[in-house]
Amino acid sequence: MALEIQHREREDVEILDLQGRHTLGPEDIFFREEFQRLLEQGRYRIVLNCKGLDEIDSVGVGTLICSQELLEKSGGKLALTEVREDQMEMLVTLKLEAFRSEE
């Protein structure tokens, strides 16, 4: 499934609900364009809800790292939530903030 992104806001935090896969190709380009659009709108507090993220490859992880660095340089913050166990280890190793709900 291609990457779909639903936007919502809560307490001045932009929440992106990711559905599908974040991999090399159109999915990564789509994510980068959406992320850039948020930066242009001055949105610097972003949470990625990964509950519906079926797959992420090394390109997707690289994009997340670049996104995090861009936000930090702007005084912003990127956080991930609802990360699957099999993806959590890789993200923690790469020092991306990830939160898992207690559902």
Side-chain angles (χ1 to χ4, degrees):
M1 169 193 275
L3 183 64
E4 295 177 13
I5 302 174
Q6 298 295 319
H7 294 258
R8 57 191 166 107
E9 184 181 336
R10 185 171 182 187
E11 298 178 16
D12 200 34
V13 174
E14 186 77 19
I15 301 169
L16 305 182
D17 297 310
L18 306 180
Q19 185 77 28
R21 65 179 189 264
H22 187 170
T23 55
L24 175 65
E27 294 84 10
D28 186 60
I29 293 168
F30 175 58
F31 180 87
R32 288 174 186 257
E33 290 171 348
E34 288 292 303
F35 194 83
Q36 184 61 42
R37 203 168 297 133
L38 291 174
L39 294 179
E40 289 169 0
Q41 295 171 0
R43 308 295 299 181
Y44 298 113
R45 296 175 60 200
I46 300 172
V47 172
L48 303 179
N49 177 2
C50 300
K51 186 174 186 175
L53 192 61
D54 299 325
E55 179 184 353
I56 185 166
D57 67 4
S58 59
V59 171
V61 170
T63 297
L64 294 180
I65 292 169
C66 289
S67 300
Q68 180 183 36
E69 289 174 357
L70 281 172
L71 279 173
E72 287 178 355
K73 287 179 184 176
S74 303
K77 190 85 166 157
L78 176 69
L80 283 67
T81 185
E82 297 292 337
V83 178
R84 290 190 343 221
E85 268 315 305
D86 62 331
Q87 298 167 344
M88 181 71 78
E89 185 175 323
M90 172 180 51
L91 297 174
V92 169
T93 300
L94 296 170
K95 298 184 181 172
L96 286 171
E97 284 191 47
F99 301 96
R100 185 166 179 86
S101 73
E102 298 299 323
E103 293 183 290

